[in-house]
């Protein structure tokens, strides 16, 4: 019976911190440190690369070059292991290993964009280990079909994991014993020994250390970083243990202890083996014979068993871990939800079936493209992306200095920093083109997941990250000289007494503020919030439309007094509004028959350096076709000069530009003058304004001879008409214009901080 993953996920989530939570299902078997982290990590690291390619690495790079490659790879692995250990002791690590860790810090979008490549890397690793197993098998049975052996090995691995993860774990104990016996056999090969034969146990003669090590090789099979790319999958085994995080009894303890002890042990083994290989064989032998260890060990057959056992167990470990990453991706809807389902015993069967299909396709690809050497660089780069983000998570959390980041296993900040830089450096050196393609694909996946608006059952630090960046930027800005003309953007304060007030003005506010502006909505209510209960929904709609938006509610019986108090407070904030927006509606609390409150409000805005927009929407045509914007300007005589700031024209021009950009409309600069001589000067002034103000080329100039109200009646009707508002506004005149224009009207007053010519 297959159940949905919710209950099982919540069960693992509660247990993720300290293992003290009660299990939802007593049938789910969880692992301790040794079987759950240490053994799969050790066996995955001591796998195909060690037996079949470490000699090739030493033969190409020499002992010194090989040790340098091992050290460079372990700089990345150790720093990543320490970073993972640190973060694992700070959060409740759920299912998915690295995906869960990244998601809990940087969100599901980042976790998913890294988790998918990580899953693919682990899945392709299964194929790599199957191919390595096949190579060892054919050393014993050279006549067997390579294709058939690979297919049967993959099938057998799948059947074991399909039966039970616990069954797979028990098999790994036997394989671990075989691997360590093979290492003991290699140690005996360090000496000159005679052959023996004791029934089924036989040993071959060994010459011991007969060669002096070559410290720096000729790199005949490729450059330093090519050799590194082939070797690096050897140290990616830490993902095998971390990937089982959802199946651990106590991941907070098991991940640090199991991971770091496995890294320490396997590093010692690799260094010792590199030295051993350089002493028992020539570089030519090491390059040409992939199974050189079989020829140089005392019990040659133990190496063959070790190759078969280690590669088989590595494939087994990867096939156990990869579906659990896919399952976690499915649980959080990064991938289709059916992949997140599991059996009552906690087995991710759907994810397992998909994983084995992908592994088989990778096997087919390897058959036609060059085998292990074709897969290793792909695996390396995918793992490096995941390692980069794991180190980045810890570096960000340390840098933010949040109280919530208090791991019981703390590491210095230099550790994740070294991890991030070394991963990026190595990625670029291995293959620039593939690195760029991998990063672009990851970013595209991130953008896709961002658009899906995934909901996570946990919080992350993204808001804290951006808040810290904002605080850092604010501190620097305060030290710099003010430049309001060059940095101006529309940040609008929109006080409303009802949801309908904001709904009616929504399209206009969006057109004015998009793409870089913002709308600060102030909901003022008397006794109940019912009148403004839809304001927050509209504020979120602004965000969906690409407009920054915030909402604040204030209880007050006096609308004007509430707005005045709010502006007084907001005026001292860093991200303060620079425009006051007031819709002039018949049902508005500021009725046309009572302008006193509005006049008081507008007069106070002069001292606060805030611009003003009054919108009188036409009751029938509203904003019309959202095409024609008529901007009415006063005479600029007698000097008619264009300076950095215009006489109450800057905000009008800037708002007209914003409306035109978002409506894809057309601006008309209109002016009424008394005579033909002034008309010629006015037209020249307006054309200069178009040129110096970088207004669109389809902007037109219309200058009328005669009285303003006559010109207003004679002009072609625009969808909106924009007018300047004096410092001491004549609201009666505003009322007359509204009544005489058959379109929506906008009344604008500059704050003094805008410039259309800057």
């Amino acid at each position: 019976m297959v159940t949905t993953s919710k209950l099982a996920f919540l069960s693992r989530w509660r247990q993720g911190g300290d293992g003290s939570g009660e299990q939802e299902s007593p049938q789910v078997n969880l692992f301790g440190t040794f079987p759950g982290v240490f053994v799969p990590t050790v066996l995955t690291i001591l796998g195909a690369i060690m037996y079949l390619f470490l000699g090739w690495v030493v033969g190409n790079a020499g002992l010194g070059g090989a040790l340098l490659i091992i050290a460079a790879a372990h700089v990345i692995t150790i720093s990543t292991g320490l970073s993972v250990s640190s973060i694992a002791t700070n959060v409740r690590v759920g299912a998915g290993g690295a995906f869960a860790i990244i998601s809990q810090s940087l969100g599901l979008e980042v976790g998913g964009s890294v988790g998918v490549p990580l899953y693919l890397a682990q899945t392709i690793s299964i194929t790599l280990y199957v191919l390595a197993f096949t190579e060892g098998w054919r050393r014993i049975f050279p006549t067997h079909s390579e294709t058939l052996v690979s297919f049967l090995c993959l099938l057998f691995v799948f059947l074991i994991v399909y039966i039970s993860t616990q069954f797979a774990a028990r098999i790994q104990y036997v394989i671990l014993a075989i691997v360590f016996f093979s290492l003991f056999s290699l140690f005996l090969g360090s000496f000159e020994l005679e052959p023996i034969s004791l029934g089924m146990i036989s040993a071959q003669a060994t010459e011991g250390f007969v060669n002096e090590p070559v410290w720096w090789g000729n790199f005949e099979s490729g450059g330093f970083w090519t050799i590194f790319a082939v070797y690096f999958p050897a140290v990616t085994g830490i993902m095998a243990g971390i990937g089982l995080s959802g199946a651990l009894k106590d991941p907070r303890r098991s991940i640090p202890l199991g991971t770091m002890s496995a890294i320490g042990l396997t590093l010692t083994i690799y260094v010792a083996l590199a030295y051993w290989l350089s002493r028992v064989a020539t570089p030519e032998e090491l390059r040409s014979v992939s199974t050189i260890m079989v020829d140089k060990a005392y019990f040659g057959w133990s190496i063959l068993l070790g190759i078969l056992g280690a590669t088989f167990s590595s494939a087994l470990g990867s096939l156990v871990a990869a579906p659990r990453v896919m399952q976690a991706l499915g649980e959080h809807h990064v991938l289709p939800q059916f992949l997140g389902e599991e059996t009552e015993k906690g087995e991710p069967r759907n994810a397992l079936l998909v994983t084995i299909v992908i592994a088989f396709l990778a096997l087919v690809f390897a058959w036609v493209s060059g085998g292990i050497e074709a897969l290793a660089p792909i695996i390396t780069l995918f793992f490096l992306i995941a390692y980069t983000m794991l180190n980045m998570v810890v570096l960000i959390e340390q840098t933010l200095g949040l109280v919530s980041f208090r791991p019981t296993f703390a590491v210095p900040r230099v550790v994740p920093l070294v991890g991030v830089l070394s991963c990026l450096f190595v990625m670029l050196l291995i293959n620039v083109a593939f690195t760029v393609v991998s990063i672009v694909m990851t970013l595209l996946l991130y953008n896709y997941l961002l658009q899906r608006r995934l909901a996570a059952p946990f919080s992350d630090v993204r808001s804290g990250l951006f808040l810290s960046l904002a605080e850092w930027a604010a501190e620097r800005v305060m030290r710099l000289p003010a430049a309001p003309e060059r940095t101006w953007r529309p940040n609008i304060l929109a006080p409303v007494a009802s949801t309908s007030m904001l709904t009616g003005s929504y399209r206009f506010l969006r057109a004015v503020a998009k793409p870089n502006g913002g709308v600060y909505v102030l909901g003022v209510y008397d006794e109940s919030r019912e009148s403004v209960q839809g304001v927050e929904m509209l504020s979120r709609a602004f965000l969906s439309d690409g407009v920054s938006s915030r909402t604040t509610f204030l209880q007050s019986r006096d609308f004007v007094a509430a707005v005045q108090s709010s502006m007084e407070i907001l005026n001292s904030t860093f991200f303060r509004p620079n425009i006051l927006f007031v819709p002039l509606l018949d049902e508005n609390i500021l009725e046309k028959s009572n302008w006193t409150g509005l006049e008081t409000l507008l007069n106070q805005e002069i001292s606060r350096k805030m611009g003003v927009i009054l919108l009188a929407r036409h009751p029938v045509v509203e904003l019309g076709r959202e095409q024609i914007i008529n901007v009415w300007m006063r005479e600029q005589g007698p000097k008619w000069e264009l300076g950095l700031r215009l006489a109450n024209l800057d905000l009008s021009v800037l708002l007209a530009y914003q409306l035109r950009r978002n409506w894809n409309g057309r601006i008309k600069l209109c002016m009424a003058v008394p005579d033909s001589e002034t008309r010629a000067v006015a037209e020249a002034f307006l054309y200069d304004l178009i040129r110096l103000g970088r207004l669109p080329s389809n902007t037109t100039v219309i200058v009328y001879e005669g009285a303003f109200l006559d010109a207003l009646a004679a002009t072609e009707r625009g969808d909106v008409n924009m007018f300047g508002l004096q410092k001491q506004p004549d609201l009666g005149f505003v009322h007359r214009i509204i009544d005489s224009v058959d379109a929506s009207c906008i009344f604008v007053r500059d704050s003094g901080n805008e410039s259309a010519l800057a």
Side-chain angles (χ1 to χ4, degrees), residues 36-51 121-122 125-126 128-129 172 175-176 179 231-242 244 262 266 270 309-321 379 383 387:
V37 180
F38 180 82
V39 173
T41 301
V42 168
L43 286 179
T44 307
I45 294 176
L46 302 181
I49 303 299
M50 182 186 76
Y51 283 109
Q122 289 183 306
S125 294
I126 300 168
L128 182 144
Y129 299 132
Q172 287 189 326
I175 296 174
L176 184 66
V179 169
Y231 169 78
F232 188 78
V235 298
T236 60
I238 64 172
M239 290 292 113
I242 296 171
L244 291 174
T266 54
Y270 268 102
T311 53
F312 188 83
S313 70
S314 296
L316 203 60
S318 296
L319 190 56
V320 168
I379 296 170
F383 271 116
Y387 284 7

Side-chain angles (χ1 to χ4, degrees), residues 244-256:
L244 291 174
S245 58
L248 297 175
K249 295 178 182 177
D250 186 0
R252 180 171 291 182
R253 178 179 181 274
S254 296
I255 289 177

Side-chain angles (χ1 to χ4, degrees), residues 217-510:
N218 297 322
F219 293 94
E220 294 188 7
S221 301
F224 181 90
W225 295 109
T226 300
I227 307 299
F228 177 92
V230 173
Y231 169 78
F232 188 78
V235 298
T236 60
I238 64 172
M239 290 292 113
I242 296 171
L244 291 174
S245 58
L248 297 175
K249 295 178 182 177
D250 186 0
R252 180 171 291 182
R253 178 179 181 274
S254 296
I255 289 177
L257 180 59
T259 301
M260 297 314 300
S261 58
I263 290 175
L265 175 63
T266 54
L267 172 59
T268 304
I269 291 173
Y270 268 102
V271 170
L273 278 179
Y275 176 76
W276 184 86
L277 287 164
S278 71
R279 295 299 306 274
V280 300
T282 64
E284 292 75 16
E285 290 177 308
L286 295 173
R287 288 195 302 271
S288 59
V289 183
S290 60
T291 54
I292 189 68
M293 290 184 182
V294 177
D295 301 326
K296 301 299 180 178
Y298 190 51
F299 299 104
W301 52 268
S302 71
I303 304 302
L304 291 173
L305 287 179
I307 293 174
L308 297 179
T311 53
F312 188 83
S313 70
S314 296
L316 203 60
S318 296
L319 190 56
V320 168
R324 280 165 168 74
V325 176
M326 174 174 271
Q327 178 195 10
L329 292 167
E331 282 179 335
H332 296 295
H333 307 286
V334 174
L335 295 179
Q337 188 176 2
F338 80 94
L339 295 172
E341 296 175 351
E342 61 182 21
T343 66
E344 292 180 351
K345 293 186 177 182
E347 300 289 345
R349 288 285 165 79
N350 292 346
L352 176 62
L353 293 172
V354 173
T355 299
I356 200 65
V357 171
I358 296 174
F360 176 75
L361 294 176
L363 187 60
V364 174
F365 170 78
W367 286 336
V368 299
S369 62
I372 294 175
E373 291 85 348
L375 295 177
I378 299 174
I379 296 170
T380 294
L381 288 170
F382 278 155
F383 271 116
L384 283 172
I385 291 174
Y387 284 7
T388 301
M389 292 309 302
L390 285 169
N391 285 288
M392 184 69 75
V393 164
V394 179
L395 184 62
I396 290 173
E397 295 249 28
Q398 289 177 326
T399 303
L400 291 177
L402 301 176
V403 176
S404 61
F405 185 71
R406 47 184 190 277
T408 57
F409 184 87
V411 296
R413 190 176 302 180
V414 69
V415 170
L417 178 61
V418 168
V420 170
L421 295 178
S422 57
C423 285
L424 294 174
F425 178 72
V426 170
M427 287 172 66
L428 293 173
L429 288 175
I430 290 175
N431 190 318
V432 175
F434 192 78
T435 296
V436 172
V437 171
S438 301
I439 293 174
V440 169
M441 290 178 61
T442 302
L443 292 175
L444 290 175
L445 181 57
Y446 169 76
N447 185 63
Y448 167 72
L449 295 176
L450 198 63
Q451 294 176 357
R452 289 182 54 192
R453 303 185 182 279
L454 301 173
F458 44 75
S459 58
D460 54 63
V461 300
R462 285 178 295 177
S463 60
L465 170 61
F466 290 116
L467 180 61
S468 296
L469 290 174
E471 290 174 346
W472 175 85
E475 291 175 0
R476 268 76 186 161
V477 169
M478 296 299 290
R479 301 172 188 173
L480 297 173
E485 303 89 356
R486 294 298 301 273
T487 59
W488 183 88
R489 64 177 63 189
N491 290 314
I492 304 168
L493 173 63
V496 294
S498 66
T499 302
S500 60
M501 287 176 63
L502 184 60
T503 303
S505 306
Y506 183 88
R507 287 164 53 202
F508 174 79
L509 290 172
R510 181 182 59 188

